[in-house]
Amino acid sequence: MFDFRTVWDGPLMCNVGLTKDEAKGMLRSGTTDLVVIGRLYISNPDLADRWINDWPLNADADYEFWWQASYGAQGYTDFPLYEAGKSSD
């Protein structure tokens, strides 16, 4: 893995596919200054609460929802919030 800190001394932001533990580790180690968690928020609009409470995550949003305008808001606005006792899958 390349250490960007050897060539860049400004603020560093990392993203794409990070888990909760990976993001926390990168921040704690100083590998990055900021992490971006976008994809998980699409399928988990309450992601912060899920991480804080160790609630299960919804299944990932299907890839086509990210880029096909024909779907409109479907896939961006219809994922459920966590409810205790209900399955997220």
Side-chain angles (χ1 to χ4, degrees), residues 14-26:
C14 296
N15 67 344
V16 181
L18 298 174
T19 66
K20 174 184 168 181
D21 291 335
E22 289 169 335
K24 286 170 59 175
M26 292 174 78

Side-chain angles (χ1 to χ4, degrees), residues 63-85:
Y63 181 71
E64 63 266 12
F65 289 127
W66 303 349
W67 58 274
Q68 287 188 8
S70 62
Y71 286 100
Q74 180 185 3
Y76 279 96
T77 62
D78 57 354
F79 278 93
L81 301 175
Y82 177 76
E83 292 184 49

Side-chain angles (χ1 to χ4, degrees), residues 41-45 50 58-62 65 71-81 88:
Y41 265 112
I42 294 173
S43 55
N44 297 280
R50 288 174 186 255
N58 289 323
D60 290 340
D62 290 332
F65 289 127
Y71 286 100
Q74 180 185 3
Y76 279 96
T77 62
D78 57 354
F79 278 93
L81 301 175
S88 293

